[in-house]
């Protein structure tokens, strides 16, 4: 495997001002947005030491695109049991797609050390 162990680095997806995350689309409207039949975009913000939103619900079998950025320092975005694995760099827009085949609950973890609260930085994905 590659030395990056599957972590996807930000590409040419775009840059924003990390100081303006809360007012910059699409991050001014975090959450689950249906964009087409059976297609959803999940917009998330990462900051020390939480994800916004903390919990999302998505349908099984749908095409999900995660769009994530950070307001402050480098965070991780890893959904246990999946290949969703991003490095979240302030001001860079990270994207990846995934389809959850079965209903269940998945833990979203920050897996980049980001400070004193790193170990409590997690969220939940509920697949229905
Ligand atoms: Cu955020 Cu570790």
């Amino acid at each position: 495997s590659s030395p990056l162990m599957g972590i996807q680095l930000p590409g040419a997806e775009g840059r924003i001002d990390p100081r303006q995350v809360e007012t910059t689309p699409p991050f001014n409207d975090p959450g689950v947005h249906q964009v087409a039949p059976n297609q959803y975009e999940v917009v998330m913000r990462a900051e020390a030491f939480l994800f916004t939103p903390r919990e999302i619900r998505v349908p099984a079998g749908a095409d999900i695109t995660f769009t994530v950025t950070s307001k402050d320092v480098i965070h991780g975005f890893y959904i246990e049991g999946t290949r969703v694995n991003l490095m979240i760099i302030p001001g860079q827009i990270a994207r990846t797609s995934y389809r959850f085949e079965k209903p269940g609950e998945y833990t979203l973890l920050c897996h980049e050390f980001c400070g004193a609260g790193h170990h409590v930085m997690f969220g939940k994905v509920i697949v229905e």
Side-chain angles (χ1 to χ4, degrees):
S1 64
S2 86
L4 293 173
M5 294 185 296
I7 293 175
Q8 294 160 5
L9 296 172
E13 312 285 354
R15 289 191 56 83
I16 62 171
D17 183 343
R19 296 163 299 184
Q20 305 289 330
V21 167
E22 294 194 7
T23 55
T24 303
F27 302 103
N28 59 340
D29 187 19
V32 179
H33 307 290
Q34 185 164 16
V35 294
N38 215 36
Q39 287 185 25
Y40 296 81
E41 181 180 30
V42 173
V43 176
M44 280 209 179
R45 302 194 298 239
E47 66 192 283
F49 299 100
L50 56 88
F51 295 104
T52 303
R54 278 188 183 276
E55 181 179 303
I56 59 165
R57 291 172 182 267
V58 296
D63 291 322
I64 313 290
T65 298
F66 293 92
T67 304
V68 191
T69 197
S70 167
K71 293 170 60 174
D72 41 35
V73 298
I74 293 176
H75 296 281
F77 188 92
Y78 172 60
I79 301 177
E80 282 187 325
T82 76
R83 58 171 175 73
V84 175
N85 182 346
L86 295 166
M87 181 182 291
I88 310 301
I89 296 171
Q92 295 203 14
I93 300 173
R95 279 205 178 89
T96 193
S97 295
Y98 193 73
R99 179 186 299 171
F100 298 91
E101 298 294 350
K102 294 178 181 172
E105 290 193 5
Y106 296 76
T107 299
L108 163 64
L109 290 172
C110 177
H111 63 320
E112 294 283 341
F113 183 76
C114 55
H118 164 69
H119 62 289
V120 297
M121 185 169 172
F122 60 88
K124 187 190 287 185
V125 179
I126 299 169
V127 180
E128 303 180 306

